[in-house]
Amino acid sequence: QVSSAIAQTEEEINVQVYQSVSPAVVTIDTQFGSGSGVIVGSDGLIVTNAHVVDGSDTVTVIRADRQEYQGRVIGYESNGADLAAVRIQARNLPTVEVATSPVQVGQRAFAIGNPFGRFEGTFTIGIVSRIDTDNGLIQTDAAINPGNSGGPLLNSRGELIGINTAIFTPRRSGPGV
């Protein structure tokens, strides 16, 4: 009974994180493709990856409730990190809080995004596998696919711990390797 109580608690956390955060996850469409973003300011401030909006001054932002906005790319992270800011003209938007406690290897990690430009609100779960302090990166085993770029990586409190940026697929040298 103890293991089923723990599993139920984990499941409840999963559902709570998704329900609280998914309204603040957006799709970002550009003339070059699409990705994800996360609303961090109730006044329309969105964080995404620089590679999602690169080459665009304006983008289309689609909220989870299907409302569309014209977004303006307002800046890029100055130290070369793959981060950008987009602003939409709206107020009282749902937001995600940024975590204040440090990220630790072994903690649960949740990713929400819009992979392949068609599966809005996809939710995956994993753990923080590694922290690369030299490059400011968090490695997770939560499933990330093309189009998840720019979406939030979250802790079990639904707080933002990172922005999903890339997947690593090693080159295989032959069958079964």
Side-chain angles (χ1 to χ4, degrees):
Q1 287 182 343
V2 172
S3 64
S4 67
I6 292 170
Q8 183 178 12
T9 301
E10 288 179 3
E11 184 176 280
E12 289 169 355
I13 290 170
N14 299 347
V15 170
Q16 181 181 5
V17 167
Y18 182 79
Q19 288 179 346
S20 68
V21 174
S22 63
V25 179
V26 299
T27 298
I28 296 179
D29 286 333
T30 73
Q31 61 186 5
F32 307 108
S34 68
S36 302
V38 59
I39 303 170
V40 295
S42 63
D43 61 349
L45 181 62
I46 298 168
V47 175
T48 188
N49 286 131
H51 78 262
V52 168
V53 297
D54 193 31
S56 300
D57 293 326
T58 59
V59 297
T60 300
V61 174
I62 307 165
R63 290 186 37 205
D65 62 7
R66 308 306 298 154
Q67 288 187 40
E68 289 190 22
Y69 300 86
Q70 189 73 21
R72 188 170 52 91
V73 178
I74 60 171
Y76 293 90
E77 205 282 324
S78 61
N79 291 327
D82 189 8
L83 294 173
V86 172
R87 168 106 34 215
I88 60 175
Q89 294 300 311
R91 296 283 182 251
N92 301 318
L93 295 170
T95 63
V96 174
E97 295 293 321
V98 176
T100 56
S101 55
V103 178
Q104 298 182 31
V105 171
Q107 79 179 68
R108 290 173 62 198
F110 303 88
I112 303 178
N114 303 310
F116 307 110
R118 33 185 319 207
F119 302 114
E120 293 85 10
T122 298
F123 182 70
T124 59
I125 302 166
I127 63 164
V128 172
S129 307
R130 177 175 172 263
I131 300 171
D132 179 348
T133 54
D134 293 337
N135 296 302
L137 299 174
I138 300 169
Q139 181 180 337
T140 181
D141 65 352
I144 307 292
N145 293 295
N148 277 103
S149 290
L153 186 67
L154 308 153
N155 63 22
S156 59
R157 291 182 298 281
E159 298 167 329
L160 186 67
I161 60 172
I163 298 295
N164 301 317
T165 301
I167 59 173
F168 176 74
T169 306
R171 239 179 250 249
R172 296 185 173 204
S173 60
V177 175

